[in-house]
Amino acid sequence: IEDAPEFALRGIMLDVSRGKVPTLAALRELVDVCARLKLNALMLYVEHVFRFRRHPEIGRGCDPLDAETLRELDAYAALHGVELVPSLQSLGHMDRILRIPRYAHLAETDRRWTLAPVDPGATALLADLYAEYLPNFRSTRFNANCDEPFDLGRGRSAGRSSELGPGGLFLEHVRRV
C-alpha cells in the first residue's frame, strides 16, 4: 500500500483574536492534534493580540501573546513536524488598532476598519510590526491577511483607486507588503 498526502502543505488556522487568547499549554495541545491528524502547518490568526514592545498600546488589555510564547510554540511545533506560519492582519480587520488614538490617522475612513494604503505611515507601521513579529517564527512563509478591506478606496485612497481601480489599489498594497 502506498500512502502519501495529496497536498504537501496541510494545515489549519485558528482565530486567536476573538475571545480569550489561548495559553501556551492550549496551543501545544493544538499542535499535538495537528500532528495526530498529519497536518503540518498551523497559523494563528492575529489582529491585535500580540505584545509589541515598540507599540505597547496594541494588545493592551487582552492578555496578548508575546514573543517568548511564540518562540516556544514554534520550537514545540517544529519538534512535532508542524510549521507554525506567521499570520498578521495587514489591511482590513485593523479596527482594534485604528481605534487607538496614536494610529487613528492611518485609517482609510472614519469607520477605522482598513488601513489607508496611500499613507506612508501605514506602510511604516506594518514594517515595524513585521520586524518585531516575524523573527519569532522559523517559517519562510507569511500570511499578511489582507482580507475584507470593506472601505478600501472609499476614503483617503479614493483618488488612487480611481486611477488603478479597486483591484489595482489592493494589488499595489499587497505588493508593497
Side-chain angles (χ1 to χ4, degrees), residues 1-126:
I1 296 173
E2 282 189 38
D3 186 19
E6 185 73 23
F7 300 102
L9 190 64
R10 303 164 312 281
I12 59 171
M13 176 186 278
L14 174 68
D15 185 343
V16 298
S17 290
R18 289 167 184 80
K20 185 179 183 311
V21 177
T23 63
L24 178 58
L27 292 170
R28 283 181 175 173
E29 288 178 23
L30 180 58
V31 168
D32 294 341
V33 169
C34 287
R36 281 195 306 275
L37 295 174
K38 307 232 187 286
L39 300 176
N40 62 359
L42 171 62
M43 279 188 259
L44 303 178
Y45 172 93
V46 173
E47 292 178 0
H48 64 285
V49 294
F50 181 75
R51 183 175 292 126
F52 291 97
R53 289 183 321 273
R54 290 176 287 212
H55 298 273
E57 303 95 329
I58 298 173
R60 187 174 286 150
C62 67
D63 198 23
L65 297 166
D66 60 28
E68 182 181 344
T69 299
L70 287 180
R71 287 191 303 271
E72 286 183 36
L73 181 62
D74 186 67
Y76 185 81
L79 285 173
H80 292 81
V82 177
E83 179 181 354
L84 186 62
V85 178
S87 173
L88 189 64
Q89 275 297 342
S90 301
L91 188 59
H93 290 276
M94 299 294 289
D95 56 312
R96 293 291 296 267
I97 294 173
L98 294 173
R99 280 192 242 148
I100 299 168
R102 176 179 174 187
Y103 309 108
H105 69 283
L106 301 175
E108 174 71 14
T109 66
D110 290 340
R111 185 176 183 189
R112 293 187 184 162
W113 177 262
T114 302
L115 280 175
V118 296
D119 190 321
T123 303
L125 173 64
L126 290 176

Side-chain angles (χ1 to χ4, degrees), residues 140-163:
T140 58
R141 303 172 203 277
F142 172 52
N143 182 351
N145 267 333
C146 293
D147 66 318
E148 298 182 338
F150 298 120
D151 51 349
L152 180 65
R154 296 187 174 143
R156 297 178 55 209
S157 303
R160 189 72 176 144
S161 183
S162 67
E163 292 172 30

Side-chain angles (χ1 to χ4, degrees), residues 50-55 128-136:
F50 181 75
R51 183 175 292 126
F52 291 97
R53 289 183 321 273
R54 290 176 287 212
H55 298 273
D128 208 28
L129 299 182
Y130 297 162
E132 190 170 340
Y133 188 69
L134 296 178
N136 299 298

